[in-house]
Amino acid sequence: MDAYPARMNALELSDVTKRYGRRAALDRVSLRLEQGGALGLLGPNGAGKTTALRLLLGFCAPSEGRVELRGRDPMDPDARLGLGYLPERLVVPGRVTVRSFLRLHAKLAGGRGADGERQADEAMERVGVADRATDPLASLSKGLRQRVGFAQAFLGPPDLLLLDEPTSGLDPIGIRDARAWIQDARDRGCTVLVSSHVLSEVERTCDHVAILHEGRIAAQGGIDQIVQDGESLEDAFVRVVGA
């Protein structure tokens, strides 16, 4: 895939509506993130965050409006090259081992033969699961599965990361590690979108936020634009959604 222009949006939703029957999960949502930026996607349960991610990943199509990854339709396989995705819940066949899972994803990310095996081994070392390489993923705790999820998301390596509740199930050490992994990705120019309920982590890892409420954008901009004097991001969130 050809490199895209430096100022092109890495992702964009333009006046997007997504309906499921009569219910609009998203209602005329416009959102964009430039290459190299980091955006926190916030909102109460049911606000539409997961629907937005599904649209960006090409898992479903909008009812109205336009969704783009690097100027392309997410349904185009080329648009997803270089994309790393961490789902909120990693679901895999019960007996697949950590090593087999990561080697498969390394191959899918373009690593062939010994190179893919090396990438998988390095990823296991990086996230601290190398000693569990031959264990079935189903036998791991949620926190360890989340570390494996980070490992597969970083294979490639990606230039665009979509992270859904990335600190879910992690203990304080895991949260600290996850913060460092995300910052490392940002330092090498990776574009990052984080969907999370942990507002303190969004404050630490992102420079822009968008707050969804009842399927619409309630506020968006730089964190310094959203947060008023004396507020935390949590205070601003509660003020914006009226909780």
Side-chain angles (χ1 to χ4, degrees):
M1 181 179 65
D2 293 336
Y4 50 100
R7 299 298 293 180
M8 176 179 282
N9 292 323
L11 58 87
E12 184 171 4
L13 282 72
S14 299
D15 206 24
V16 167
T17 294
K18 178 60 180 177
R19 297 188 187 91
Y20 295 99
R22 294 185 176 182
R23 184 179 69 88
L26 292 178
D27 185 7
R28 291 171 293 179
V29 167
S30 293
L31 180 70
R32 66 188 59 175
L33 176 60
E34 287 187 350
Q35 181 188 2
L39 174 71
L41 186 60
L42 312 177
N45 291 331
K49 301 187 302 298
T50 297
T51 298
L53 286 176
R54 287 175 58 81
L55 288 164
L56 288 166
L57 290 160
F59 292 168
C60 60
S63 304
E64 298 173 15
R66 187 180 78 254
V67 182
E68 292 184 348
L69 285 178
R70 301 128 166 177
R72 303 185 184 193
D73 188 325
M75 299 288 187
D76 179 350
D78 284 346
R80 297 194 295 269
L81 291 175
L83 169 64
Y85 170 53
L86 174 65
E88 181 178 3
R89 183 167 175 260
L90 189 66
V91 179
V92 295
R95 299 188 64 83
V96 173
T97 67
V98 173
R99 177 180 286 126
S100 296
F101 176 75
L102 291 176
R103 285 185 174 180
L104 171 61
H105 278 269
K107 184 176 181 179
L108 293 172
R112 295 290 185 264
D115 180 58
E117 294 178 4
R118 176 188 56 77
Q119 285 189 38
D121 290 345
E122 289 177 352
M124 285 188 291
E125 288 286 351
R126 184 182 186 193
V127 303
V129 296
D131 60 335
R132 310 298 292 269
T134 59
D135 290 0
L137 272 164
S139 71
L140 302 184
S141 68
K142 189 175 190 307
L144 286 176
R145 285 199 303 272
Q146 194 74 351
R147 285 176 174 269
V148 174
F150 263 105
Q152 68 83 22
F154 284 118
L155 290 167
D159 55 27
L160 173 60
L161 278 170
L162 303 183
L163 308 175
D164 193 2
E165 298 294 345
T167 57
S168 177
L170 294 176
D171 59 22
I173 293 174
I175 291 172
R176 179 202 64 191
D177 291 344
R179 191 185 306 147
W181 300 330
I182 295 170
Q183 187 58 54
D184 285 347
R186 291 204 62 192
D187 288 345
R188 60 176 175 77
C190 189
T191 306
V192 179
L193 185 148
V194 177
S195 174
S196 180
H197 289 108
V198 185
L199 304 189
S200 60
E201 290 306 310
V202 170
E203 268 189 301
R204 289 173 179 268
T205 56
C206 300
D207 39 44
H208 287 75
V209 296
I211 301 177
L212 279 168
H213 184 45
E214 297 180 347
R216 296 185 176 185
I217 295 288
Q220 64 178 311
I223 290 180
D224 57 348
Q225 296 172 307
I226 301 296
V227 174
Q228 297 180 356
D229 290 345
E231 282 187 329
S232 65
L233 183 56
E234 181 177 352
D235 295 330
F237 176 85
V238 171
R239 169 174 50 79
V240 167
V241 303

